[in-house]
């Protein structure tokens, strides 16, 4: 009996010791450098957001947050790297909207956008902007819609590729309006913008953050915003909701995530910093002029959005007969 009591006492002490060590480790977070992995090239919109977040986390949490760019496979290389990392808060991911779409394009990917991550906070969202070539005989949405319906399969639209954000946005627009056009896939955004400016293609969905200079200058003609509100840089361009197509929504977002199993106390600590940072002057001055809408939601809100978005894309890809 005495031996059993002693054994239980030792087990209790070990449990308390482990719990205390675990609490100490999370309380002192970060006690060493944290890697923030970005699945896109340095200098792009997602990288800019990542470096703003890294700076805010470093300042608020008094630690070292280092951005590492791991581009490739539409951000899947970075996502897989973080999904497989130790869930201790020292490897984080700055993700973009392809996170919820890629599983339908790349069925062989070895992570799940929901199960493999702990959502921290959505940083910002950049609504899609429907833009036409400068030589197209359409100055606004009504003229474009009439022209597109008159020339069924006569107009061409560009995208970054089959199953990408731009392609799926245009398929959604076709579903909602009955417009039918010819898809011209490119290997990247640059080709789409250049050929739209040169009137090689007639129309495309642009991500506001990447195309804002060309949209503002009129090198391509913006005619509608696929977001909840007009953009600061394009005050005269109406939203699809204003134009009577409220279901037409498309955006490219950036967000912070951690590997699944990361302690809640760390996730909440990171989220609190992002929520504070998006209200700061440097975030507003840097991201809003690029066409971003600042968000900074809670882990719970972001998780609900991810679930909703994955379900939405599952339906859209099935309707388009793309992927698995």
């Amino acid at each position: 009996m005495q031996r059993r009591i002693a054994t239980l006492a030792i087990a209790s002490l070990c449990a308390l010791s482990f719990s205390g060590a675990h609490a100490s480790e999370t309380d002192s977070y970060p006690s060493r450098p944290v890697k923030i992995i970005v699945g896109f090239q340095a200098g792009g919109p997602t990288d800019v957001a990542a470096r703003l977040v890294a700076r805010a986390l470093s300042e608020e949490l008094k630690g070292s947050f280092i951005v590492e760019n791991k581009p490739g496979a539409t951000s899947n290389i970075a996502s897989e790297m973080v999904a497989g990392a130790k869930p201790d808060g020292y490897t984080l991911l700055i993700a973009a909207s392809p996170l919820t779409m890629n599983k339908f394009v790349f069925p062989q990917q070895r992570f799940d956008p929901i199960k493999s991550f702990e959502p921290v906070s959505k940083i910002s969202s950049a609504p899609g902007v429907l833009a036409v070539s400068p030589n197209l005989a359409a100055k606004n949405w009504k003229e474009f819609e009439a022209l597109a319906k008159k020339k069924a399969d006569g107009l061409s639209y560009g995208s970054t590729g089959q199953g990408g954000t731009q392609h799926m946005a245009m398929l959604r627009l076709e579903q909602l309006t009955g417009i039918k056009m010819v898809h011209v896939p490119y290997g990247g955004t640059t080709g789409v913008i250049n050929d739209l400016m040169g009137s090689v293609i007639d129309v495309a969905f642009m991500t506001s953050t990447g195309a804002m200079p060309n949209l503002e200058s009129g090198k391509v003609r913006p005619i509608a915003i696929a977001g909840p509100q007009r953009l600061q840089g394009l005050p005269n361009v109406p939203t699809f909701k204003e134009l009577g197509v409220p279901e037409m929504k498309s955006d490219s977002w950036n967000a912070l995530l951690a590997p699944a199993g990361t302690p809640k106390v760390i996730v909440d600590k990171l989220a609190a910093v992002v929520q504070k940072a998006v209200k700061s002057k440097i975030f507003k001055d840097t991201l809003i002029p690029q066409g971003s809408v600042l968000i900074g939601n809670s882990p719970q809100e972001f998780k609900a959005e991810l679930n909703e978005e994955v379900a939405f894309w599952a339906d859209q890809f099935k309707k388009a007969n793309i992927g698995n």
Side-chain angles (χ1 to χ4, degrees):
M1 182 68 176
Q2 289 180 335
R3 181 177 295 176
R4 184 167 180 269
I5 292 172
T7 301
L8 289 172
I10 292 170
S12 298
L13 286 170
C14 288
L16 287 171
S17 176
F18 175 80
S19 176
H22 183 69
S24 175
E25 184 178 344
T26 55
D27 289 344
S28 62
Y29 176 83
S31 59
R32 62 181 189 274
V34 178
K35 293 188 294 185
I36 300 180
I37 310 301
V38 181
F40 301 91
Q41 297 280 359
T46 302
D47 178 70
V48 170
R51 293 180 190 279
L52 286 172
V53 168
R55 175 176 172 176
L57 290 170
S58 296
E59 291 175 352
E60 287 290 324
L61 301 182
K62 311 302 179 187
S64 177
F65 289 79
I66 304 166
V67 173
E68 290 188 10
N69 298 88
K70 301 290 183 181
T74 321
S75 76
N76 267 5
I77 291 174
S79 297
E80 184 175 321
M81 180 178 176
V82 176
K86 186 177 179 180
D88 55 6
Y90 288 92
T91 304
L92 306 174
L93 176 70
I94 293 288
S97 46
L99 179 71
T100 58
M101 305 171 70
N102 281 349
K103 67 177 294 185
F104 307 108
V105 183
F106 307 106
Q108 75 276 15
Q109 73 177 31
R110 291 178 288 184
F111 64 90
D112 183 86
I114 303 297
K115 298 176 183 178
S116 300
F117 301 100
E118 297 293 343
V120 177
S121 182
K122 184 181 285 187
I123 303 158
S124 61
S125 174
V129 180
L130 186 69
V132 300
S133 69
N135 294 324
L136 193 70
K139 300 293 191 293
N140 54 50
W141 164 251
K142 285 188 176 181
E143 292 180 359
F144 170 76
E145 185 180 25
L147 181 64
K149 288 184 176 180
K150 181 180 179 181
K151 294 185 175 182
D153 291 329
L155 298 184
S156 59
Y157 72 90
S159 83
T160 53
Q162 181 91 340
T165 304
Q166 295 175 343
H167 181 215
M168 298 306 294
M170 199 64 79
L171 290 179
R172 178 66 170 159
L173 184 64
E174 289 183 329
Q175 289 173 6
L176 293 171
T177 63
I179 291 172
K180 295 297 178 186
M181 295 178 288
V182 177
H183 180 212
V184 182
Y186 289 76
T189 304
T190 302
V192 177
I193 294 177
N194 287 342
D195 278 4
L196 189 62
M197 287 192 295
S199 298
V200 177
I201 54 175
D202 299 305
V203 61
F205 262 105
M206 303 278 94
T207 302
S208 55
T209 48
M212 188 56 75
N214 293 315
L215 293 166
E216 288 179 316
S217 67
K219 290 181 179 179
V220 295
R221 184 184 302 137
I223 59 174
I225 308 293
Q229 62 195 39
R230 295 193 182 196
L231 295 175
Q232 177 179 287
L234 303 171
N236 297 320
V237 181
T239 65
F240 275 101
K241 183 177 181 180
E242 293 177 84
L243 296 168
V245 194
E247 301 92 344
M248 185 59 233
K249 299 173 184 177
S250 176
D251 72 341
S252 180
W253 48 261
N254 293 312
L256 182 64
L257 300 98
T262 300
K264 184 177 183 299
V265 63
I266 291 178
V267 170
D268 289 343
K269 186 180 286 191
L270 294 167
V273 175
V274 175
Q275 290 169 331
K276 178 182 178 181
V278 297
K279 299 174 183 177
S280 68
K281 187 176 187 300
I282 188 170
F283 270 70
K284 292 177 180 178
D285 289 350
T286 304
L287 298 181
I288 291 178
Q290 294 182 1
S292 291
V293 176
L294 298 175
I295 299 175
N297 54 10
S298 70
Q300 295 75 25
E301 290 169 330
F302 183 28
K303 184 174 184 177
E305 287 186 10
L306 284 176
N307 280 310
E308 182 179 335
E309 194 165 312
V310 169
F312 171 78
W313 285 124
D315 181 62
Q316 291 300 302
F317 276 89
K318 184 178 180 180
K319 287 179 179 178
N321 195 28
I322 297 174
N324 48 350

